[in-house]
Amino acid sequence: MTILSTPSLYAAEPQIAPQVQNAAQASFKEWAEVLAIPNDSAVAADIQRNAAWFEQVFQRRGFHTRQLANNGKPLLFAEFPKSDPGLPTVLFYGHMDGQPVNPSEWQQKSPWVPVLKQRNAAGQWEAMPLDKLFAKDVNPEWRLFARASADDKAPIMMLLAAIDALKAGGKTPAINLKVILDAEEEKGSPSLGAVVKRNQDLLKSDMLVVLDGPMHPSNQPTLVFGNRGIVVGTLKVYGPKQDSHSGHYGNYAANPAQLMARLLASMKDDEGRVTVPGYYDGVKLDADSLRVMRAVPDDEAALRQRLGIAVADKVGQNYQEAMQYPSLNVRGMQSGDVGEKARTVVPALAVAELDLRTVPETEPAALVALLKGFVEKQGFHLVNGEPSDADRARYPKLASLTFESASASSSAVRTDLNAPIGNWLRRSLTKTYGKEPVQIRMMGGTVPTGALVDALKVPFVIVPLVNADNNQHSANENMRLGNYINGVNTLVGILSEPFSSKP
Amino acid sequence: MTILSTPSLYAAEPQIAPQVQNAAQASFKEWAEVLAIPNDSAVAADIQRNAAWFEQVFQRRGFHTRQLANNGKPLLFAEFPKSDPGLPTVLFYGHMDGQPVNPSEWQQKSPWVPVLKQRNAAGQWEAMPLDKLFAKDVNPEWRLFARASADDKAPIMMLLAAIDALKAGGKTPAINLKVILDAEEEKGSPSLGAVVKRNQDLLKSDMLVVLDGPMHPSNQPTLVFGNRGIVVGTLKVYGPKQDSHSGHYGNYAANPAQLMARLLASMKDDEGRVTVPGYYDGVKLDADSLRVMRAVPDDEAALRQRLGIAVADKVGQNYQEAMQYPSLNVRGMQSGDVGEKARTVVPALAVAELDLRTVPETEPAALVALLKGFVEKQGFHLVNGEPSDADRARYPKLASLTFESASASSSAVRTDLNAPIGNWLRRSLTKTYGKEPVQIRMMGGTVPTGALVDALKVPFVIVPLVNADNNQHSANENMRLGNYINGVNTLVGILSEPFSSKP
């Protein structure tokens, strides 16, 4: 189990109001309860149990709820009674489902039986009685281990606790509040867009706040304004019709691995920048964006050490800048066989699996068109499917390049750093923490925000609340209690902050 | 089963003397008998049975024989009574062992039960009663199907039949004659060099004639003066320590498949010529060699069609020239996974399996040294084994390049086209067929001739006698009867030709 140390921001924070602290701790019981319900969306019955459970805890807090039909894997909609019809409506997004588990990889009996742990003097995680989670004093460094303890049941529980804290203080939210809980996020939210479109009136909102994903590794309060999209494809380069004897045909039949190498090499320079003309067109980083990116406290030396690389590709001046550009990544490559199975042949075929991470300025279809044109310009004739004998007789270089069609849930989306929603959230977090949050203009990975943005046409910001070292998607997923309590405090701040578009 | 049509040279030949024709046909019985003895050298007992069988048929013709010990897989030595101690001694090489078989792929009951076949009107091979093989009239287009029917039991049988033919004509060979039968040729003759060195006095000869391999595809009488060698190696390029998320690290962690592509691309130009400085040094093709190569009746259009390629690499001006140069072939390549197993990662590693076909002018060690220097010149630090964390922190580009040590049995060897042995054999074949044979300066593949040449320090020429479309190494191996009878005639011509070094 790899658990990185998470910097504690708990000690450094201003005092958290007692009703916030109490509401957070009081919610631990429900949190532990819901973590006992398996939530792999491959199992419809489990999603139904989660939806029913969440529906009931939202209702208990006065929300109106409705399960949104989705082939047996319902999404959950919840709406808090309007504070004032004149106030803007903010839709909060979270997801009930979690990654599949391999229990044998977990250092506890079951991923569905949450275990409270603390780190011992040797730095190892040691189980404690679960009762300690429900006692008066909890240590912010303790962590609760279970599937979905962080991703993404914790943020939903934090939102409920924030409502409780407001209520305890006799307040109502400063905005109108809707919630949508996804049921298939870990499968790429294949149904989210369609369900939202079918329930557009219900979900109608002015803004979207996504409660998902990890905070910046520095564990500083974080706002994420966008995410890259993805489209995957396959490049094939054809050699002789069959694998051919490398003695008789080496130096005669062109080797497709070699041709593939030339082709891929032509697509990037020696420092990792794509050389396909136009690939980066449209990406413009203004002075303000550059400043915000430079302000992100990335420890790139530590990052490079963790990756085991001496230098990074030079697509941007730093990590944050690199994520503003579309990527062209060889995620897999094969020709003939390697290792024990290697034979002395000129292989018949070379295959490269590609993934392009897209940005809002670069539509997947446009990148694919640029790539196809570039491959042709390198002298390759592109075929659909296998080349025919006639193709083989006619064209010196044969390749095929196919891409899966891109979907809204895998599209790139970004909200302007100075959009009203950004100003509102930045103001709130700055008030809560006494300093500006880390602002991620664009995260490198792909999340299904695009499906919501596409369906609702609203500006969005992601507000991640869980520790970056939560082992999400792996065994031994965990949530740091300090982050949980701070997350509730963050949400109380947001719900209390009157909306205004001013910075 | 792929059986190419073999041009018949039978009809076009001058009349074969009756005693040659008779001796050839009389040997069919023994040929069929020995084809019933399995000969995969993985099974020592089978090799022993073959050695015993061959020993007895050589003895029957007056040869002195001796089995040469080799860990239970004996080689067979045979010497014909000296015609005249003053004549040069020629060692004839053949091999008893054959490729392993997969009987289910054969269109006959067993690869060890020879089946006589003729082609029907539809072009398919049809079995005939085996008795027809032993009748007075055989059709040269008939073929005998069995493992080793061609490779390499036929040439050994042809040699025995040639001795019979000489005897029937009341003649003795015009040279002194020794024979060595290898037991592990299909495994790369790992033991040949050592066994020959242990029995150097016995095997002492002035020249070596190798009776193995297929004739030129035109089915014209063929002499082969050399073969390329081979050395295999593995090139690895290292990326991040683990496969890393292509969203978070695409554009940041350099992709090893991409680095591998740049590296391989730098090694060859767009027409397949190696660009590593010095790689082709020493290869010089004089006017006479170029003339001989141009005279080879290669049907390159047909070859390209069979390979399914529109153009060939431009290493030489034609196929024969291309084989005179060392190759640099990517026989396998892998990074991450392709197809169903592809994941969206920056892979940790890229591997290319290389095979270098060497020529006598290019020692494997020299090529490997050139390659290593070239890789370093491309900015790669070469590590032994996995890179350490310190290596990773220090060097922007990390690779390893390891080669298996080259052995004599996989070395390149060549006899000068104008060497005395070449002049003698060329004169003999020209007399027998009324025209100059096809002369292959260097065949592209690797045969273990190097082990013999290294151990005995004698000039050699390969005299292939079997049809090129014999399916050697595959299912449905077969031998064309016309080629068998012509082979006997070829050998009668050689054994009758007084040695002289003059052209």
Side-chain angles (χ1 to χ4, degrees), chain A residues 228 230 232 239-242 244-272 274 280 300-301 303-316 318-319 322-340 342-347 350-353 355 357 378 391-398 443-446, chain B residues 228 230 232 239-242 244-272 274 280 300-301 303-316 318-319 322-340 342-347 350-353 355 357 378 391-398 443-446:
Chain A
R228 292 199 290 191
I230 185 172
V232 298
K241 257 170 129 166
Q242 294 100 18
S244 298
H245 192 289
S246 70
H248 299 325
Y249 305 115
N251 279 6
Y252 193 79
N255 184 307
Q258 183 71 33
L259 293 173
M260 174 68 87
R262 284 191 78 78
L263 183 53
L264 292 176
S266 69
M267 293 178 182
K268 281 192 173 183
D269 70 18
D270 198 34
E271 294 182 305
V274 176
Y280 295 143
E300 291 202 38
L303 174 59
R304 286 194 299 269
Q305 194 183 11
R306 203 167 77 237
L307 290 169
I309 60 174
V311 297
D313 277 344
K314 296 284 183 297
V315 181
N318 53 49
Y319 175 80
M323 300 300 116
Q324 311 306 312
Y325 293 89
S327 73
L328 170 50
N329 181 56
V330 182
R331 64 196 190 112
M333 182 165 72
Q334 181 155 19
S335 183
D337 288 298
V338 300
E340 292 290 305
R343 293 153 298 132
T344 47
V345 295
V346 176
V351 178
E353 300 285 3
D355 69 296
R357 298 286 174 167
Q378 304 308 304
D391 292 331
R392 291 182 167 280
R394 180 164 175 194
Y395 301 105
K397 294 180 184 173
L398 287 165
M443 58 184 266
T446 305
Chain B
R228 292 200 289 192
I230 185 172
V232 298
K241 257 170 128 167
Q242 295 99 20
S244 299
H245 193 290
S246 70
H248 299 326
Y249 305 115
N251 279 6
Y252 193 79
N255 183 307
Q258 183 71 33
L259 293 173
M260 174 68 87
R262 283 191 76 78
L263 183 53
L264 292 176
S266 70
M267 293 179 182
K268 281 192 174 182
D269 69 17
D270 198 34
E271 293 182 306
V274 176
Y280 295 143
E300 292 202 38
L303 174 59
R304 287 194 298 271
Q305 193 183 12
R306 204 167 74 236
L307 290 169
I309 60 175
V311 297
D313 278 345
K314 296 284 184 299
V315 180
N318 53 48
Y319 174 79
M323 299 301 115
Q324 311 305 312
Y325 293 89
S327 74
L328 169 49
N329 181 56
V330 181
R331 64 195 189 114
M333 181 164 73
Q334 180 155 20
S335 182
D337 289 298
V338 300
E340 291 290 304
R343 294 153 296 131
T344 47
V345 295
V346 177
V351 178
E353 300 286 4
D355 69 295
R357 298 285 173 166
Q378 305 307 306
D391 292 331
R392 290 182 167 281
R394 181 164 174 193
Y395 301 106
K397 293 181 185 173
L398 287 165
M443 57 184 267
T446 305

Side-chain angles (χ1 to χ4, degrees), chain B residues 372-386:
Chain B
K372 286 194 172 175
F374 186 82
V375 170
E376 287 174 332
K377 211 164 169 198
Q378 305 307 306
F380 284 84
H381 175 74
L382 285 174
V383 292
N384 293 315
E386 291 287 304

Side-chain angles (χ1 to χ4, degrees), chain A residues 93-255:
Chain A
Y93 167 92
H95 63 90
M96 301 178 281
D97 65 310
Q99 282 279 324
V101 294
N102 183 346
S104 69
E105 294 173 352
W106 287 65
Q107 296 181 342
Q108 65 196 59
K109 220 156 73 186
S110 160
W112 310 118
V113 178
V115 177
L116 186 67
K117 294 189 182 185
Q118 65 179 342
R119 223 191 283 260
N120 67 16
Q124 272 139 0
W125 290 102
E126 258 177 10
M128 305 162 62
L130 190 63
D131 279 353
K132 292 217 165 198
L133 180 63
F134 313 127
K136 188 167 176 294
D137 293 316
V138 296
N139 185 322
E141 297 300 342
W142 295 349
R143 299 189 182 198
L144 192 62
F145 285 72
R147 169 56 80 229
S149 61
D151 178 24
D152 185 41
K153 287 180 174 175
I156 309 173
M157 293 311 307
M158 294 176 205
L159 182 62
L160 291 167
I163 295 285
D164 295 340
L166 285 185
K167 193 174 179 186
K171 295 194 206 160
T172 53
I175 43 130
N176 292 320
L177 171 63
K178 290 181 178 178
V179 178
I180 176 89
L181 299 187
D182 197 354
E184 298 183 281
E185 196 273 345
E186 301 294 0
K187 312 289 187 214
S189 298
S191 54
L192 179 62
V195 172
V196 169
K197 279 180 185 166
R198 275 201 301 275
N199 296 279
Q200 217 145 6
D201 286 347
L202 204 62
L203 290 160
K204 195 173 183 307
S205 325
D206 301 298
M207 287 168 283
L208 170 66
V209 170
V210 175
L211 300 179
D212 196 10
M215 295 167 70
H216 186 265
S218 65
N219 211 25
Q220 298 300 304
T222 307
L223 296 177
V224 179
F225 287 80
N227 60 264
R228 292 199 290 191
I230 185 172
V231 60
V232 298
T234 304
L235 174 62
K236 293 184 181 178
V237 170
Y238 295 91
K241 257 170 129 166
Q242 294 100 18
D243 289 355
S244 298
H245 192 289
S246 70
H248 299 325
Y249 305 115
N251 279 6
Y252 193 79
N255 184 307

